[in-house]
Amino acid sequence: MPKRRRRKEFKNRGSVSISRIMALSFLGIIILGTCLLSLPAASRSGRSAGFLTSLFTATSATCVTGLVMGDTWTLWSAFGQVVILLMIQVGGLGFMSAASIAYFTLKRKVGMRSKLVMAESIGASSISDITVHQRRLLIRAFTVEGAGALILTVRFAFDYPFLQALRLGIFHSVSAFCNAGFDILGFRSPGSSLMLYHTDPFVCLTLCALVVLGGLGFLVWDELLREHNPRKWSVYTRLVLITSGALLLLGMVLTCILEWENPGTLGPLPLGGKLLAALFQSVTLRTAGFAGMDQQLLTPASKGVAIFLMLIGGSSGSTAGGLKTVTFVVLLLFLWNRIRGRYTVSIFSRTISDDHVLNAITIFVLMVILSFAGGTFICATSPVPFSDGLYETVSALGTVGLSTGITPTLRPAAKIMIILFMYFGRVGLLTISFGFLKKKPAGEKYRFANTDLLIG
């Protein structure tokens, strides 16, 4: 009996360690990145940027957020920018995706526990096809990034020397596909991000395509490439495509309506420029983090729309963060059915299980509570309006990276909270999702007697 108990406890610890491996892996990358960015060689000034600045930047890059303490080009040297780019790539594709490259290179067998971790991190359907799936994932990701880098390099070559154009093309392609939002265009105007190119169709449309592809998720990619008949697509793929398209269109239309005459954003632009800038704003709010317009100059209503879209984010199994598109749809379907007096949630002639509905509600409530608590904490510790504090908090939780410009002005306590929120937005939600996959604990095998409450 003691031996059986020890074996059972070992198995339980093994299942729990899947979440721990992912969390500790990201934490290890952040610590390593912090150490490298703290070196004088990583700073453009030749002096160490300091521990808090380095930690903040390393967390933002690894968690593909994009919030920064200062302009990336102005603050970091070429070495520092390379470190940031590598952290974006590893954080965007997932730690185990990067680790699998080493497995392929060394031709070593992937262990069962590592396979389980990779399968859950990228959504592979079975353990047996994880290696094939992982290789296919990486090839496709690098191909898309390479194509984006080529297009951007050609465009930037008209404005800068070829080597600089190549550097800009590679950096921004990886940053866009990984939904990171980091840019190195500060040599023209520090902190301007993509505002200099927000009406350039080649730059904007290329970045939009990269952001959208990265935010759809690898599962959707795989099914679209494998099955060309839309009628045979899974319910999940159809929900992702419909929701993503609807949210992008909604964001663009609302941005046009609310910012059309705003002299600080769309007002001075011609018709084509307004439409392109509004599209870019809608896309970048889906956790991309590039600033095509000054977020501080947005109307209050536009900031509300931005917070809403940032909170939803991209899709599961993608480089994007946030609540996730399908989670949002499940919440809407649940509310619609409850208003109509129905107890089951269905879509496309399929029923969504109660567990999925409860999981969606859990994540939503948690995100909303943390958002408002974080916004309040920022206002209490730093002299900023609540709307800007909430904007910053949602941007961190959704791993978006857009800011109204208050990030460098925050007090150390608020910056530490933002660091924790970026980490939780990238790793914490993933860990919670892993928890949903586990079997119910023994405590749920019995229930207490029901009680009556007044609701509403």
Side-chain angles (χ1 to χ4, degrees):
M1 183 64 69
K3 290 184 178 180
R4 290 181 180 178
R5 286 181 179 177
R6 283 197 295 269
R7 289 176 181 176
K8 186 175 182 180
E9 291 176 358
F10 178 78
K11 290 181 179 180
N12 291 334
R13 287 197 300 267
S15 62
V16 175
S17 67
I18 295 175
S19 301
R20 292 179 179 175
I21 289 173
M22 293 299 297
L24 292 175
S25 298
F26 273 88
L27 182 60
I29 298 170
I30 292 172
I31 294 174
L32 176 61
T34 301
C35 295
L36 293 175
L37 291 178
S38 297
L39 298 174
S43 174
R44 188 167 292 278
S45 65
R47 298 187 299 272
S48 175
F51 174 76
L52 185 57
T53 300
S54 300
L55 175 62
F56 193 100
T57 305
T59 305
S60 183
T62 304
C63 299
V64 291
T65 304
L67 290 173
V68 292
M69 299 287 291
D71 181 74
T72 303
W73 175 272
T74 306
L75 185 59
W76 305 106
S77 65
F79 170 73
Q81 292 170 23
V82 170
V83 172
I84 291 172
L85 183 64
L86 292 176
M87 286 189 291
I88 290 173
Q89 186 73 91
V90 173
L93 296 183
F95 176 77
M96 293 314 300
S97 296
S100 67
I101 298 177
Y103 283 117
F104 299 148
T105 303
L106 299 176
K107 296 181 179 180
R108 293 179 178 176
K109 294 183 179 179
V110 182
M112 181 62 69
R113 182 172 296 181
S114 298
K115 285 183 177 181
L116 285 171
V117 175
M118 287 190 289
E120 292 186 355
S121 65
I122 65 174
S125 58
S126 63
I127 296 177
S128 61
D129 65 350
I130 179 62
T131 303
V132 176
H133 186 99
Q134 189 75 354
R135 184 186 291 111
R136 189 164 59 239
L137 180 157
L138 292 170
I139 292 174
R140 290 172 180 172
F142 291 142
T143 300
V144 172
E145 289 180 344
L150 178 61
I151 297 174
L152 292 174
T153 299
V154 172
R155 172 59 188 89
F156 288 137
F158 287 94
D159 298 334
Y160 315 107
F162 176 75
L163 290 180
Q164 186 176 8
L166 178 63
R167 178 180 177 183
L168 293 173
I170 294 174
F171 190 97
H172 292 98
S173 178
V174 173
S175 183
F177 179 76
C178 293
N179 281 220
F182 279 82
D183 72 275
I184 51 173
L185 292 169
F187 61 91
R188 292 192 57 178
S189 179
S192 62
S193 189
L194 269 296
M195 297 178 198
L196 298 172
Y197 290 94
H198 69 304
T199 58
D200 187 308
F202 289 98
V203 175
C204 281
L205 294 179
T206 301
L207 292 177
C208 285
L210 289 168
V211 170
V212 171
L213 287 174
L216 287 178
F218 302 119
L219 286 176
V220 176
W221 280 25
D222 193 58
E223 186 164 358
L224 292 179
L225 293 174
R226 186 180 67 254
E227 182 55 67
H228 301 291
N229 186 357
R231 296 182 179 180
K232 296 183 179 180
W233 290 345
S234 66
V235 172
Y236 175 78
T237 295
R238 281 183 279 178
L239 283 178
V240 167
L241 294 177
I242 293 173
T243 309
S244 298
L247 289 174
L248 290 177
L249 180 60
L250 177 65
M252 179 181 176
V253 171
L254 291 179
T255 300
C256 286
I257 294 174
L258 299 173
E259 299 293 327
W260 195 264
E261 300 295 337
N262 187 347
T265 55
L266 299 183
L269 302 178
L271 177 60
K274 288 182 178 181
L275 295 176
L276 188 59
L279 172 64
F280 190 80
Q281 173 74 356
S282 179
V283 171
T284 197
L285 287 172
R286 306 296 305 289
T287 83
F290 292 114
M293 57 182 72
D294 193 336
Q295 305 299 299
Q296 191 173 8
L297 300 179
L298 294 174
T299 62
S302 289
K303 289 183 180 179
V305 172
I307 290 173
F308 169 73
L309 292 176
M310 288 193 297
L311 192 64
I312 296 175
S315 301
S316 301
S318 71
T319 59
L323 181 67
K324 301 298 188 297
T325 52
V326 173
T327 304
F328 174 68
V329 172
V330 170
L331 286 170
L332 290 183
L333 292 173
F334 169 74
L335 290 174
W336 175 245
N337 281 274
R338 290 299 293 164
I339 291 172
R340 293 164 51 184
R342 297 183 177 181
Y343 291 91
T344 59
V345 179
S346 59
I347 185 72
F348 298 134
S349 301
R350 293 291 188 274
T351 299
I352 300 175
S353 70
D354 293 340
D355 285 341
H356 289 335
V357 174
L358 290 175
N359 295 343
I361 294 174
T362 301
I363 295 177
F364 172 74
V365 172
L366 183 60
M367 290 280 284
V368 171
I369 291 176
L370 287 176
S371 297
F372 279 90
T376 303
F377 183 80
I378 288 179
C379 294
T381 57
S382 303
V384 298
F386 177 75
S387 60
D388 289 347
L390 181 62
Y391 198 99
E392 192 88 0
T393 302
V394 173
S395 181
L397 272 177
T399 67
V400 182
L402 288 174
S403 174
T404 56
I406 67 172
T407 309
T409 66
L410 297 178
R411 302 283 171 78
K415 292 177 181 177
I416 293 174
M417 187 211 71
I418 292 296
I419 291 173
L420 295 176
F421 273 32
M422 289 190 291
Y423 183 77
F424 176 81
R426 188 62 176 166
V427 181
L429 291 178
L430 183 66
T431 301
I432 292 174
S433 299
F434 285 171
F436 292 152
L437 301 175
K438 298 176 185 177
K439 295 180 179 180
K440 294 182 180 180
E444 293 187 6
K445 291 183 179 180
Y446 62 88
R447 296 177 58 182
F448 294 105
N450 293 335
T451 186
D452 292 327
L453 297 174
L454 293 177
I455 303 297

